[in-house]
Amino acid sequence: MPTTATLSIVCPAYQEEEVLPLFHAALVAAVEPLTAECDLEILYVDDGSRDGTLGVIRQLAAADPRVRYLSLSRNFGHQAALTAGLEHARGDAVVSLDSDLQHPPALIPELVARWREGFDVVLTIRADDARLGWFKRVSSRVFYRVLARCSDLDVRPAASDFRLMSRAAVDGLLRLQEAHRYLRGMVQWLGFRVAEVPFRPEARRAGVSKYTLRRMVRFALDGLLSFSPAPVRVVVGAGLAVTVLSWAASVAATLALFPAAEPTARVAVVGLTALHAVGGCLLAAAGVIGEYLVRIYEQAKGRPVYVLKEGTVDAPGAVIPRPAAPHRPSRAA
Ligand code: UDP
Ligand code: MG
């Protein structure tokens, strides 16, 4: 490990003009003690914000040579913005954290200390905290339980995208060219020596969460479908079970109900119900297969994960290489 290491701090920001100045001040104060042992680079990624976020970032970059930035051509999403930052970070270790102060910057020296101990990946584990809101807490707990059951990954419940990765881990991660990126799972898939640091999430200092219910469901689907074939198997099992039940119900109704009054009508009702149940299962099965198919289709198109508009790190329009090409992260200043 080099003695004078470079530490990169990657911060994705989408519509964060209000909170960014507060965040930057807190970040600079938190990493100040590290300046004796590390060269610092703070890399903001503007994820196609339509408010004044980019203007604030430009000012921060103009005022401090340690601040660099990227701006994406439109909103590509949190995971894509993080990928862009990791691609362009030059550090021997790279920390990523949200720029809304929910991930406390004060924890960064502790992450660096664990890296100095020899860990390549330092995860932060979010404590269950009332400030997160009950829906987020419950949905997160249920999702991680389902994911842990369905996949071979040792998925850490409550892991966040606030983490440190060594250069080796970042380079390894950047070789995974998945169109639908669930970075928490991808980092876990990598292996390496992993340390964990618990943290208590703060409430958002300003602005609003960009993870609407729709985005959360999409993110959860990316996690589940990228790391597990279990949904297809569950649907096959459910389809078979419903078929057997419907068949048994029809036979039972036919035998038991024929002697009763208006037998044909009652048998017809049971038959129709069974038909609907089987039809519903077929539709659900087609939907689950379709979800995998859409992901294969998007992967096959080989589009870049993001497109750059401007920045202090690369030529405008630079993109992640196509999946077929061996990946080399750009380090151009
Ligand atoms: N973010 C982003 N692109 C998006 C949505 C969010 O870069 O499309 C950033 C956002 O600015 C923040 C981080 O990702 O720094 C986490 O987003 P947010 O705070 O909205 O999510 P939550 O903490 O509510 O899950
Ligand atoms: Mg947040």
Side-chain angles (χ1 to χ4, degrees), residues 16 98-103 136 202 204 208-211:
E16 304 287 14
D98 291 355
S99 49
D100 59 359
L101 283 169
Q102 285 199 280
H103 295 159
K136 191 131 198 163
E202 298 292 332
R204 226 180 202 283
V208 291
S209 170
K210 315 306 174 311
Y211 271 91

Side-chain angles (χ1 to χ4, degrees), residues 121-271:
V121 177
V122 187
L123 301 178
T124 67
I125 306 296
R126 193 183 66 199
D128 223 3
D129 192 277
R131 277 170 297 191
L132 278 176
W134 70 268
F135 181 73
K136 191 131 198 163
R137 279 181 293 143
V138 172
S139 57
S140 156
R141 221 177 299 158
V142 170
F143 170 70
Y144 280 115
R145 199 159 290 177
V146 171
L147 188 60
R149 254 216 126 84
C150 293
S151 72
D152 298 333
L153 281 182
D154 176 24
V155 196
R156 248 345 235 107
S160 71
D161 282 314
F162 180 16
R163 66 175 88 79
L164 178 146
M165 280 185 278
S166 68
R167 175 47 49 196
V170 172
D171 286 346
L173 183 72
L174 292 176
R175 288 181 58 208
L176 310 188
Q177 295 284 343
E178 303 183 25
H180 286 258
R181 302 177 81 74
Y182 183 71
L183 288 171
R184 286 160 211 194
M186 291 160 72
V187 170
Q188 209 91 31
W189 178 90
L190 280 179
F192 287 108
R193 279 189 78 200
V194 178
E196 292 179 0
V197 175
F199 79 102
R200 197 151 283 284
E202 298 292 332
R204 226 180 202 283
R205 204 65 85 69
V208 291
S209 170
K210 315 306 174 311
Y211 271 91
T212 54
L213 182 61
R214 198 163 143 251
R215 278 191 177 211
M216 268 163 73
V217 170
R218 272 212 323 234
F219 185 51
L221 276 180
D222 279 346
L224 196 60
L225 302 182
S226 301
F227 286 97
S228 166
V232 167
R233 293 184 190 139
V234 168
V235 169
V236 170
L240 283 177
V242 169
T243 309
V244 169
L245 280 179
S246 316
W247 184 78
S250 302
V251 170
T254 311
L255 296 179
L257 298 177
F258 260 132
E262 298 182 51
T264 344
R266 297 171 77 172
V267 169
V269 169
V270 174

